[in-house]
Amino acid sequence: MDYEFKKNTLDGSYHATFSMGHEIIGRWLIEEVGKDFEKMDTILGQIGALKNSTKEWRLLGDELSLILQDHEAIIQANYLFSEEEEDFDEDMHFYDEESVSCCGFEDFELVLQAWRAFVTRF
C-alpha cells in the first residue's frame, strides 16, 4: 500500500493519497481523524489490545467507520452498513469497491503513525 501526505499551504488543508484499493483510508484520515491526537491514541491503543485477541472494536464516524477485527483494519462508508438491499445498477459495484478497504494491523498502525507525524510537523 503506497500513500502520500500533502498540505496545501494556501488554505491549510491536508491531502492523503493512497494506492488503488486503499483510497478510502486517505479520505477517512482527513474527514474522520484529522488532527485529533486523542482519537489516534485510542485507535493505536485498540490495535495493541486486539493483536492477540479475537474481539472486534468499532469507531463509528459521520460518513466513514473503522472496524478492527481478525488482525485487520477495515474502513468503510457507513451506507454499506445498511441492511436494506438496494437494487442498483451493476456499475455501482465499482463505486462500492472505493467505499471499503482493509489492511493488516501492522500496515494500518504504520499509516496512522505516519499521519500523526505529518500533521504534527505541519
Side-chain angles (χ1 to χ4, degrees):
M1 167 176 49
D2 295 322
Y3 55 89
E4 181 179 26
F5 303 139
K6 293 181 181 179
K7 182 176 181 181
N8 183 329
T9 57
L10 296 176
D11 66 8
S13 63
Y14 292 99
H15 302 276
T17 306
F18 279 73
S19 56
M20 185 183 289
H22 295 99
E23 300 95 340
I24 198 165
I25 297 173
R27 186 174 154 216
W28 176 79
L29 285 170
I30 293 165
E31 295 178 15
E32 303 290 349
V33 177
K35 293 183 84 168
D36 188 339
F37 297 109
E38 187 175 321
K39 186 178 284 187
M40 290 182 234
D41 289 341
T42 299
I43 295 166
L44 290 168
Q46 287 297 324
I47 291 171
L50 294 173
K51 281 186 178 176
N52 296 315
S53 174
T54 59
K55 294 182 180 179
E56 176 182 296
W57 183 79
R58 291 177 182 237
L59 179 64
L60 299 177
D62 293 331
E63 296 287 326
L64 306 169
S65 294
L66 168 67
I67 304 163
L68 301 176
Q69 69 180 20
D70 298 327
H71 307 286
E72 283 192 323
I74 304 163
I75 296 175
Q76 73 178 50
N78 290 344
Y79 77 85
L80 293 176
F81 289 117
S82 173
E83 304 231 355
E84 297 177 14
E85 287 291 324
E86 300 282 343
D87 190 23
F88 288 119
D89 189 321
E90 201 172 293
D91 292 335
M92 287 299 289
H93 176 70
F94 294 111
Y95 180 74
D96 286 346
E97 287 179 357
E98 294 177 3
S99 300
V100 65
S101 179
C102 59
C103 65
F105 278 175
E106 293 79 17
D107 288 338
F108 190 69
E109 194 171 25
L110 291 173
V111 165
L112 200 52
Q113 290 169 344
W115 177 253
R116 182 187 186 108
F118 178 77
V119 297
T120 299
R121 190 173 55 233
F122 298 102

